[in-house]
Structures are given as C-alpha cells and as structure tokens.
Amino acid sequence: MVSRSDILVLGLTAGVVGSLVGGLLLYAGLALVLAGNHAGWALALPAAPAGGGIGLLLARKLARQL
C-alpha cells in the first residue's frame, strides 16, 4: 500500500528533478541560440516536456508498488 509520505516524496522529487533537468536544458539551449547557433532550439523547446517526463516515470514507479 502506498502511504501519504510516498506520494509526498514523489511530488517533491518530481518537482526538484524536473526543474533541474528542464532548467538545464533551457539554459543550454538558449545559451547556444544567443551565441548564434540556432540548433540550440532543439534543446530549449523540449525542456518542459523532458522535465515532466521524469515526473511521469517516477509516478509509474510508484504505481507499480500498488
């Protein structure tokens, strides 16, 4: 059975790790774009979905424990 603390840890972990990954991708992509390399958009645009994908993976891991 999944407890309340497991759900709380999932939310906090997904938020922190998702923000770090998404922020790093966004930073690297925009740094490349500002330097004149427009291929940086390939990193900047999927930053938010990549951060959310980590939360999805963590939620599926928790759901398998049910």
Side-chain angles (χ1 to χ4, degrees):
M1 183 75 187
V2 177
S3 66
R4 178 179 272 179
S5 65
D6 291 335
I7 296 171
L8 179 65
V9 169
L10 168 71
L12 290 172
T13 305
V16 170
V17 174
S19 296
L20 288 173
V21 169
L24 184 63
L25 281 173
L26 184 64
Y27 168 75
L30 289 179
L32 286 171
V33 170
L34 290 176
N37 187 354
H38 292 290
W41 288 113
L43 289 175
L45 292 178
I54 292 174
L56 178 66
L57 292 175
L58 290 171
R60 286 185 181 176
K61 179 182 172 186
L62 183 64
R64 275 192 298 243
Q65 293 179 1
L66 290 174

